[in-house]
């Protein structure tokens, strides 16, 4: 073994604690990179394989009723390689032991053996028999939530008629990987499921013999989906088409895309920060070694080692530390990746989900980590190469402390001598002090960037469930009804108040930019379901024009006063030109509102309602739900209390896991930065501290000098860390937002306080370790030698 290699191992053994601290910071960066990129690759790869194996459609369209003969014309559209007409309707499910009604999409199952699109993946049992009208297969999540097995029976209200169905199988579909029920913000497997029945059974129930209400298309590779959608919409308009959508806008796939964007955002933002801190720590530690080993460097050069060889020695020191961090990070990242894959497998209905262990990912992580370490070592290595032997072997020039405050000592006059020492030592090397402050600030910033989402979620809940939607239940009708239906709702047991709403599918466009949305009509100044302005105040809907949510206004480039084109996707398909009268606050989806009377007048359909927002007497809740189940015209019911509970439950589980991971990793960064700074300060000031002990200072007073320096560094780092953390959170919030939801950036004082507390506790732990080392100082030896 070469002499320099022996020295390298001895240096690692002597500085093992500092080397381990740096290695753990490197490991944190590697782990976040493997976790983020690996989870993204796993989810993306699984989705692609699942979609391909089950022939997931490229275009989807709902309509009222079209003859099956139209499918031949649809299949003839250029670029379409398969067209399948189905029956898809919404039904109300009455489950035993469940007070509120559940909802289900009723989908016609393809005949056994057919080369269908959106193929079902059976988990148990079989598909319903074509000769058995009361058989059904159910989605796995719904079956799991209710303990359903093949042979179980439950009731469904289809088109106003109650029917008992028998479960023959449990299945999943690429179309419902993210099974979101109507009116829900999060999947609720207890309240919403998919029920596949035979085509004849659904056709008879909904009067669709020889017809279809939904069509899905498979396109040839490279086909322009927009061109096909335009052609399909022209064909379906006479049959009540509500507007075709591409795969990217299909609700399940769109939520998967949003999740993938979040993973990509975390992979871009967090790992580089960890690795930047690691490079800083390597530079700080090696810079200290160069200063303390000047004489050894001079001797090595004097006996024939070149400057490059000695510099390489210190680069190898950094590379070994980084290699240790890569190993630890790879193991931790793989374990966390497997746990994340299990989480996603439960959340999304995939038949399989395996964490991707692509060797290229591990190679990239290793190269990035080693590159960061070598970059951190470069400056110190250059200083090593530049030292002439005679200069290196000479004792370093004693430090010259400048007079503080321009020679006027008034600010320090009343301070203890140890406090003056702390201030002078930190002021002697302002560059190194600033670098250490920056390192601690990055640890604070990482914590702020990991913890901010909790405050934002609470803001979304407060605005959406306390200020805007304050009703207890939303009742949607199977189809728009005259206003008299509202009186029937008000007459139900336990109803304290009910406000109508009207929902119409439209396309709102300004120029070439447009979005398909549900235009919602509400009372001008409703009390149960309100529209809020950007300042979170209730907004009175104007007597003309539309109120667009901020995301929708940005998407189409509209501002108050602009005229927009509203293409109605139902009824007589009229095209309206309406002014934008206001902008509203909206966190979920793209929303547009109008006063209900104005909307009905614009549609020329009279006073119609799509449902009601209801305030309930809690004591009569069971009687109310029973009455809804017995109402033929009811479509679905959304209890906001249950929606909020599910929203909290789902987000709390996901956020807690990721926040815990990143908080722990950020705490490692904090310990690594503070502990390395304290060890370096102890090594550099060993003679001075031992001299203080000889002069009669107590061990506590001597330890207080270093602890005080740590405290000053940590205190100075907090404001910078808060500012950097706000920037990290701002970047992540922007990356998380999409058309499906907007994540507000809300960082409460508790986030800053908790981030600072973690770093302060890390500093206290580091100071305690250093205090123990001070207690073991051999005063005679320290005064004799440099270290």
């Amino acid at each position: 073994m070469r002499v320099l290699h022996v020295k390298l191992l001895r240096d690692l053994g002597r500085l093992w604690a500092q080397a381990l601290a740096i290695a753990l910071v490197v490991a944190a960066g590697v782990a976040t990179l493997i976790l983020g990129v690996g989870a993204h690759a796993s989810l993306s790869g699984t989705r692609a394989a699942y979609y391909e194996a089950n022939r997931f459609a490229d275009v989807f369209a709902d309509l009222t009723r079209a003859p099956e003969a139209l499918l031949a014309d649809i299949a003839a559209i250029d670029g379409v390689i398969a067209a399948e007409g189905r029956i898809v309707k919404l039904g109300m499910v009455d489950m035993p032991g469940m007070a509120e009604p559940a909802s289900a999409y009723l989908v016609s199952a393809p005949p056994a053996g057919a080369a269908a699109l959106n193929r079902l993946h059976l988990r148990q049992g079989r598909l319903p028999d074509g000769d058995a009208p009361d058989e059904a297969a159910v989605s796995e999540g719904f079956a799991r939530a209710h303990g359903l097995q093949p042979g179980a029976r439950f009731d469904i209200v289809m088109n106003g008629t109650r029917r008992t169905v028998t479960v023959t199988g449990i299945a999943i579909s690429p179309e419902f990987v993210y099974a979101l029920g109507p009116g829900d913000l999060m999947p609720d497997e207890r309240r919403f499921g998919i029920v596949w029945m035979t085509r004849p059974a659904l056709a008879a129930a909904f009067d669709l013999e020889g017809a279809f209400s939904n069509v899905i298309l498979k396109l040839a590779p490279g086909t322009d989906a927009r061109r096909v959608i335009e052609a399909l919409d022209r064909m379906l308009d006479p049959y009540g088409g509500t507007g075709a959508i591409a795969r990217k806008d299909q609700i399940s796939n769109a939520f998967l895309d949003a999740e993938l964007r979040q993973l990509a955002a975390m992979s871009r933002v967090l790992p580089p920060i960890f690795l930047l801190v690691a490079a800083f720590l390597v530079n700080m530690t090696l810079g200290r070694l160069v200063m303390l080993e000047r004489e050894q460097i001079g001797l090595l050069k004097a006996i024939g080692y070149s400057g490059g060889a000695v510099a390489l020695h210190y680069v190898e020191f950094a590379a070994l530390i980084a290699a240790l961090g890569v190993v630890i990070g790879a193991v931790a990242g793989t374990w966390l990746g497997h746990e994340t894959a299990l989480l996603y497998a439960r959340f999304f209905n995939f038949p399989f989900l395996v964490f991707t262990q692509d060797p290229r990912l591990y190679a990239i992580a290793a190269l990035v980590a080693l590159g960061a370490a070598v970059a951190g070592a470069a400056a110190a290595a250059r200083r090593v190469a530049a030292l002439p032997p005679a200069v290196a072997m000479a004792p370093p020039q004693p430090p010259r402390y400048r007079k503080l405050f321009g020679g006027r000592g008034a600010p320090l006059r009343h301070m203890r001598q140890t406090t003056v020492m702390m201030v002078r030592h930190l002021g002697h090397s302002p560059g190194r002090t600033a670098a250490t402050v920056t390192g601690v600030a990055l640890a604070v910033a990482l914590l702020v960037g990991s913890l901010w989402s909790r405050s934002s979620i609470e803001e979304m809940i407060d605005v959406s469930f306390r200020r805007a939607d304050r009703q207890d239940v939303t009742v949607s009708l199977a189809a728009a009804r005259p206003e008299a239906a509202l009186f029937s709702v008000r007459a139900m047991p336990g109803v304290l108040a009910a406000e109508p709403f009207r929902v119409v599918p439209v396309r709102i466009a300004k120029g070439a930019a447009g979005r398909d949305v549900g235009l919602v009509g509400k009372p001008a100044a409703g009390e149960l379901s309100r529209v809020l302005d950007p300042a979170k105040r209730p907004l009175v809907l104007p007597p003309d024009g539309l109120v667009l949510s901020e995301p929708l206004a940005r998407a189409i480039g509209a501002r108050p006063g602009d005229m927009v084109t509203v293409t109605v996707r139902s009824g007589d398909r009229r095209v309206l030109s309406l002014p934008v009268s206001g902008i509203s606050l909206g966190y979920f989806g793209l929303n547009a509102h109008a006063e209900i009377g104005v909307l009905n007048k614009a549609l020329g359909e009279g006073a119609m309602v799509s449902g009601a927002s209801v305030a309930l007497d809690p004591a009569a809740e069971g009687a109310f739900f029973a009455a809804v189940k017995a109402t033929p015209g009811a479509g679905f019911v959304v209890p906001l209390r249950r929606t909020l509970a599910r929203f909290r439950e789902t987000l709390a589980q996901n956020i807690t896991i990721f926040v815990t991971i990143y908080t722990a990793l950020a705490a490692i960064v904090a310990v690594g930065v503070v502990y390395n700074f304290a060890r370096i300060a102890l090594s550099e000031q060993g003679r001075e501290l031992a001299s203080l002990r000889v002069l009669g200072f107590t061990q506590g007073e001597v330890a207080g000098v270093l602890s005080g320096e740590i405290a000053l560094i940590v205190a100075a780092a907090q404001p910078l860390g808060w500012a950097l953390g706000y920037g990290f959170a701002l970047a992540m919030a922007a990356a998380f937002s999409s058309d499906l939801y907007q994540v507000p950036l809300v960082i409460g004082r508790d986030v800053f306080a908790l981030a600072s507390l973690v770093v302060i506790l890390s500093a206290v732990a580091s100071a305690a370790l250093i205090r123990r080392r001070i207690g073991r100082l051999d005063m005679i030896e320290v005064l004799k030698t440099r270290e």
Side-chain angles (χ1 to χ4, degrees):
M1 184 179 292
R2 292 175 54 195
V3 173
L4 287 181
H5 291 162
V6 174
K7 179 180 180 298
L8 178 62
L9 294 179
R10 287 178 177 173
D11 285 343
L12 284 173
R14 179 166 52 87
L15 301 173
W16 69 268
Q18 289 169 266
L20 180 61
I22 298 171
L24 289 176
V25 175
V26 174
V30 171
T32 54
L33 186 62
I34 290 175
L35 171 60
V37 176
H40 183 279
S42 297
L43 196 57
S44 179
T46 300
R47 179 178 69 166
Y50 184 38
Y51 283 1
E52 182 65 25
N54 291 273
R55 300 193 72 206
F56 188 42
D58 296 307
V59 175
F60 304 76
D62 287 315
L63 58 145
T64 303
R65 176 192 174 98
E68 290 184 353
L70 185 65
L71 286 173
D73 295 334
I74 294 174
I77 297 174
D78 186 34
V80 175
I81 59 176
E84 182 179 313
R86 307 181 300 174
I87 297 175
V88 178
K89 293 290 184 178
L90 186 65
M92 184 179 293
V93 181
D94 187 2
M95 297 301 299
M98 183 174 167
E100 68 268 30
S103 302
Y105 278 137
L106 309 176
V107 183
S108 56
L117 302 178
N118 298 354
R119 291 174 179 165
L120 301 184
H121 181 95
L122 276 172
R123 294 290 210 176
Q124 296 182 49
R126 59 173 177 82
L127 292 178
D129 193 311
D131 297 327
D134 295 327
E135 291 187 347
V138 299
S139 55
E140 184 178 37
F142 189 73
R144 181 172 55 243
H146 293 282
L148 299 178
Q149 296 290 331
R153 297 163 65 86
F154 59 89
D155 289 348
I156 303 179
V157 178
M158 295 186 288
N159 200 23
T161 302
R162 179 179 293 264
R163 178 177 295 179
T164 300
V165 298
T166 302
V167 176
T168 62
I170 296 170
I172 58 176
S173 165
E175 188 176 2
F176 302 106
V177 168
Y178 191 91
L180 190 67
D184 284 333
L185 301 176
M186 284 284 170
D188 188 345
E189 295 172 338
R190 182 171 174 270
R191 292 184 45 254
F192 176 74
I194 315 300
V195 176
W196 291 276
M197 300 182 67
T198 64
R199 179 71 174 268
L202 291 180
F206 292 95
D207 191 25
L208 288 170
E209 288 87 352
F212 59 91
S213 66
N214 176 274
V215 64
I216 50 179
L217 309 180
K218 190 71 176 173
L219 305 183
T223 300
D224 183 1
R226 289 175 300 179
R227 178 182 54 77
V228 173
I229 287 172
E230 290 173 0
L232 181 61
D233 283 343
R234 287 194 296 270
M235 287 186 179
L236 297 182
D237 272 353
Y239 302 98
T242 57
I245 58 173
R247 178 192 287 185
K248 68 181 180 64
D249 297 317
Q250 196 263 346
I251 189 68
S252 173
N253 186 73
F255 270 96
L256 268 174
D257 276 338
E259 188 67 30
L260 287 168
R261 280 195 296 273
Q262 292 182 15
L263 287 171
M266 287 190 291
S267 301
R268 287 194 302 267
V269 174
L270 294 178
I273 299 170
F274 284 109
L275 295 173
L276 175 64
V277 176
F280 156 75
L281 286 179
V282 169
N283 179 271
M284 190 168 66
T285 303
L286 285 185
R288 171 253 178 174
L289 269 181
V290 170
M291 292 302 297
L292 295 180
E293 297 189 353
R294 287 169 57 96
E295 294 182 16
Q296 296 181 40
I297 292 169
L299 286 171
L300 289 170
K301 287 190 170 185
I303 63 176
Y305 285 97
S306 66
V310 178
L312 181 61
H313 163 71
Y314 288 98
V315 172
E316 289 174 344
F317 179 84
L320 273 179
I321 294 175
L324 176 61
V326 168
V327 172
I328 297 172
V331 173
T334 302
W335 177 74
L336 291 172
H338 282 298
E339 295 301 311
T340 304
L342 293 175
L343 174 67
Y344 282 128
R346 289 192 297 268
F347 190 69
F348 297 111
N349 294 306
F350 282 121
F352 58 88
L353 184 59
V354 180
F355 180 69
T356 299
Q357 293 178 278
D358 189 343
R360 291 174 296 179
L361 172 60
Y362 290 84
I364 291 171
L367 288 174
V368 170
L370 289 170
V374 171
R382 283 196 299 270
R383 288 198 296 271
V384 169
L387 279 176
V391 175
M393 294 176 67
Q397 182 180 0
R400 297 184 61 185
Y401 289 95
R402 297 183 299 275
K403 291 183 179 181
L404 298 178
F405 307 107
R408 296 183 296 273
L412 303 178
R413 187 174 300 157
H414 302 292
M415 292 184 182
R416 292 170 58 111
Q417 191 61 37
T418 50
T419 305
V420 175
M421 291 175 61
M422 288 185 286
V423 175
R424 287 187 182 277
H425 184 260
L426 292 175
H428 174 63
S429 303
R432 187 179 63 188
T433 301
T436 307
V437 169
T438 302
V440 178
L442 285 171
V444 176
L446 280 171
L447 286 162
V448 173
S450 300
L451 297 168
W452 69 274
S453 55
R454 289 185 180 276
S455 299
S456 296
I457 295 303
E458 287 303 317
E459 169 72 6
M460 296 171 76
I461 288 173
D462 179 64
V463 169
S464 301
F465 294 97
R466 298 192 184 103
R467 302 193 188 193
D469 289 326
R470 307 191 298 170
Q471 68 271 29
D472 297 306
V473 175
T474 299
V475 178
S476 292
L477 305 176
R481 295 280 189 271
E483 192 176 23
L486 180 63
F487 302 120
S488 299
V489 173
R490 287 174 175 162
M492 290 182 175
V495 174
L496 302 177
E499 294 176 353
F501 64 82
R502 177 80 192 274
V503 181
V504 181
V506 300
R507 181 172 181 81
I508 299 179
K510 181 177 182 291
R515 291 290 189 275
D516 292 318
V517 299
L519 176 56
V520 181
K522 292 182 178 182
E527 287 297 321
L528 296 180
S529 181
R530 307 188 297 185
V531 180
L532 305 179
D533 67 14
K536 305 173 190 174
R537 297 169 302 195
L539 191 154
V540 177
L541 294 175
D544 59 352
L546 306 177
V547 173
L548 307 183
S549 66
E550 290 176 309
L552 178 57
R554 282 196 301 269
I556 66 173
R559 294 180 297 178
D562 290 345
M563 299 298 293
V564 294
T565 301
V566 180
T567 304
V568 181
R569 299 290 198 177
S570 62
D572 59 6
R573 332 288 289 182
R574 63 181 58 189
V575 178
L576 308 170
S577 182
L578 298 173
V580 177
S581 301
I583 302 297
S584 67
L585 181 67
Y587 291 146
F588 297 100
L590 304 177
N591 304 306
H593 293 90
E595 196 277 324
I596 189 169
V598 172
L599 176 59
N600 280 326
K601 182 179 179 181
L603 296 175
E605 295 179 355
M608 305 287 283
V609 298
S610 299
S613 302
V614 177
L616 274 182
D617 179 356
E621 189 178 81
F624 172 79
F625 287 136
V628 170
K629 291 177 182 179
T631 302
F636 61 92
V637 175
V638 180
L640 260 70
R641 172 179 48 80
R642 172 66 186 174
T643 300
L644 175 57
R646 180 62 180 168
F647 185 77
R648 280 190 181 279
E649 174 189 340
T650 303
L651 285 181
Q653 180 187 26
N654 294 350
I655 289 174
T656 298
I657 291 173
F658 283 104
V659 166
T660 300
I661 291 172
Y662 290 116
T663 301
L665 295 176
I668 290 173
V669 172
V671 172
V673 172
V674 176
Y675 181 74
N676 268 277
F677 167 76
R679 281 296 305 272
I680 290 171
L682 175 61
S683 298
E684 291 177 340
Q685 300 179 72
R687 292 175 63 86
E688 290 82 356
L689 297 177
S691 299
L692 291 177
R693 292 284 285 122
V694 171
L695 291 173
F697 282 76
T698 66
Q699 180 181 321
E701 289 173 327
V702 173
V705 174
L706 274 183
S707 299
E709 289 187 17
I710 294 173
L712 289 175
I713 290 289
V714 171
Q718 300 309 307
L720 178 60
W722 297 337
L724 291 174
Y726 187 89
F728 296 160
L730 184 65
M732 295 183 71
F736 286 177
S737 298
S738 65
D739 284 355
L740 297 175
Y741 48 81
Q742 302 290 312
V743 180
L745 180 58
V746 179
I747 306 181
R749 294 179 180 177
D750 58 322
V751 173
F752 294 116
L754 183 56
S756 295
L757 178 62
V758 172
V759 172
I760 290 170
L761 291 176
S762 303
V764 169
S766 300
L769 293 173
I770 295 302
R771 183 186 178 96
R772 291 180 58 192
R773 298 189 69 87
I774 291 175
R776 295 198 299 267
L777 275 178
D778 186 328
M779 289 179 282
I780 296 175
E781 287 297 321
V782 171
L783 290 174
K784 283 182 178 179
T785 62
R786 184 65 189 167
E787 186 176 19

